């Protein structure tokens, strides 16, 4: 019971606990802000990647369609060779 015998130490302990609680709250807010910033950065990067892929696919589609059409014509003209 010597731990609780001195009121000054108890008061200091309470003050230390309150200071730790404030520090933990501040760290929690900081981590939350950093997490939100990281999320926004990742979302922006993913959006940019999606835009790039969409643009490349849309540029390639006419060529893919033409080659598919050419392949259909070749198969239609040579039905025995497509088996």
């Amino acid at each position: 019971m010597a731990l609780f015998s001195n009121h000054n130490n108890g008061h200091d302990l309470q003050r230390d606990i309150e200071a730790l609680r404030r520090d933990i709250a501040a760290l929690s807010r900081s981590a939350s802000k950093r997490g939100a910033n990281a999320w926004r950065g990742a979302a922006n990067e993913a959006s940019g990647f999606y835009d790039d892929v969409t643009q490349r696919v849309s540029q390639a589609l006419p060529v893919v369609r033409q080659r598919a059409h050419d392949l259909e014509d070749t198969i239609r003209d040579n039905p025995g060779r497509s088996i």
Side-chain angles (χ1 to χ4, degrees):
M1 286 288 173
L3 181 61
F4 299 107
S5 64
N6 191 342
H7 290 290
N8 288 339
N9 285 342
H11 181 67
D12 290 343
L13 183 59
Q14 288 290 55
R15 194 174 347 154
D16 290 345
I17 290 172
E18 286 302 317
L20 286 173
R21 284 184 180 154
R22 285 191 300 274
D23 288 347
I24 289 171
L27 288 171
S28 178
R29 286 189 301 272
S30 176
S32 178
K33 287 179 185 176
R34 287 179 184 221
N37 288 338
W39 179 260
R40 278 192 293 277
N44 288 340
E45 189 171 328
S47 177
F49 176 74
Y50 178 79
D51 291 344
D52 186 43
V53 168
T54 301
Q55 181 181 8
R56 289 176 187 229
V57 168
S58 67
Q59 290 172 349
L61 270 177
V63 174
V64 170
R65 285 185 183 129
Q66 182 60 47
R67 291 201 179 164
H69 181 71
D70 292 346
L71 179 61
E72 288 175 354
D73 289 346
T74 301
I75 291 171
R76 197 173 300 117
D77 293 343
N78 301 292
R81 300 186 90 192
S82 60
I83 299 177

